[in-house]
């Protein structure tokens, strides 16, 4: 602890209270917020991890191990990456992730906050980023595959890195803050070029199945994880082999993958309190009898709202509701018919 009136440790010659005190307090404050967010994440991750260890997933674990690892050697960093991949990215033969199944099995006992966190965890994905700015409490990274900028408040995550460098990383949004899941892997410029060229090439030969290179990378995240492993396992951090990984033949379309968690979210964010419970119940009943659900979450949520309000005798048009959810009246009409038919 440095006294307020002592000389500032930065060497400026000023008193601490007139120099770095405020800045350091801000860093400490942010660090505590991040620690709290990481705690929430860890807590939920432990629940999913326990779930993933049940015997029903033994076979999936074997399949996933073969798909993920590039070496037999055990390495704690890579084991951690493997767990992340297994829980959030790996899809079983029905196209479901462990996390998605965890949500489905625990839906009725999860709180709103837990559902929100899980929804963020489902949206998180590993990617390659350029570090565009490293600030005192906020840094900016840019995704090479879709150019999206992400502001991360994870103050210590980039401390050994510089602006302009590239990393493999996975961020997740917890309570409005982006934190890194697992450690970032530094990628040299030379490796960056190899990875990006390689992935572009794989995307080209498989592009019929995905809408964008970003989506391709999300559905084939083992590619990034494999490049990451090559960097971690090689002393010189060189990527020796380009990957010619066989890309999974059938990539589910984004619509198919739409988790109904997003629909609960859309309802909670849009529906009035007095109708919300009815809306949630209607949806719960609907998904029980309809296993495969296609279409955007907003389309479904809009149809549910329309359904409930109409039932309650409100005077409301499909056009009004579809505008609220930013979808076309046609989509609403279609989903509404499907709801009515069940
Ligand atoms: Zn100072």
């Amino acid at each position: 602890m440095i006294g307020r009136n002592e000389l500032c440790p930065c060497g400026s010659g000023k008193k601490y209270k007139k120099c770095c005190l405020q800045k350091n307090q801000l860093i400490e404050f942010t660090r505590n917020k991040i620690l709290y967010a990481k705690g929430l994440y860890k807590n939920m991750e432990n629940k999913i991890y326990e779930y993933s260890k049940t015997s029903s997933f033994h076979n999936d674990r074997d399949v996933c191990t073969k798909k993920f690892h590039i070496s037999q050697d055990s390495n704690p960093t890579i084991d951690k990456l493997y767990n992340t991949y297994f829980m959030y990215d790996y899809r079983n033969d029905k196209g479901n992730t462990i996390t998605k199944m965890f949500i489905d099995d625990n839906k009725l006992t999860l709180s709103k906050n837990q559902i929100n966190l899980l929804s963020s965890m489902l949206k998180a994905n590993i990617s390659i980023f350029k570090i565009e700015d490293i600030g005192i409490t906020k840094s900016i990274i840019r995704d090479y595959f879709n150019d999206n900028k992400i502001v991360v408040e994870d103050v210590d995550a980039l401390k050994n890195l510089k602006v302009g460098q590239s990393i493999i990383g996975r961020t997740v949004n917890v309570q409005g803050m982006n934190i890194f899941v697992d450690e970032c892997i530094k990628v040299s410029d030379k490796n960056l070029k190899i990875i990006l060229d390689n992935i572009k090439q794989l995307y080209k030969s498989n592009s019929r199945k995905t809408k964008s290179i970003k989506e391709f990378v999300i559905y084939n995240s083992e590619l990034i994880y494999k490049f990451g492993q090559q960097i971690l396992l090689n002393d010189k951090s060189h990527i020796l082999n380009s990957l010619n990984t066989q890309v999974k033949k059938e990539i589910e379309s984004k619509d198919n993958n739409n988790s109904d968690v997003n629909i609960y979210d859309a309802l909670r964010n849009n529906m009035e309190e007095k109708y919300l419970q009815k809306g949630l119940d209607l949806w719960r009943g609907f998904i029980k009898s309809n296993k495969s659900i296609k279409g955007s979450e907003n389309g479904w949520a809009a149809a549910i709202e329309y359904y409930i309000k109409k039932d309650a005798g409100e005077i409301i048009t499909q056009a009004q509701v579809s505008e609220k959810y930013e979808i076309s009246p046609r989509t609403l009409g279609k989903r509404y018919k499907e709801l009515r038919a069940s």
Side-chain angles (χ1 to χ4, degrees), residues 8 10 12 19-20:
C8 188
C10 78
S12 64
C19 191
C20 297

Side-chain angles (χ1 to χ4, degrees), residues 267-303:
L267 288 172
R268 288 198 180 94
N269 292 336
N270 287 290
M271 270 184 101
E272 291 84 351
E273 203 56 45
K274 62 172 175 172
Y275 293 128
L276 180 60
Q277 197 51 50
K278 278 188 180 158
L280 297 174
D281 290 345
L282 173 66
W283 181 245
R284 241 169 236 149
F286 181 72
I287 51 173
K288 256 188 211 150
S289 46
N290 296 270
K291 281 276 173 271
S292 133
I293 287 154
K294 292 179 183 174
S296 77
E297 61 254 34
N298 278 0
W300 283 110

Side-chain angles (χ1 to χ4, degrees), residues 7-16 18-21 23-24:
L7 284 181
C8 188
C10 78
S12 64
K14 291 185 201 164
K15 282 184 180 175
Y16 185 46
K18 297 209 162 160
C19 191
C20 297
L21 174 66
K23 184 186 83 183
N24 288 349

Side-chain angles (χ1 to χ4, degrees), residues 51-62:
Y51 175 80
S52 80
K53 286 202 305 193
T54 48
S55 58
S56 52
F57 297 120
H58 279 171
N59 189 36
D60 285 311
R61 206 170 260 285
D62 287 348

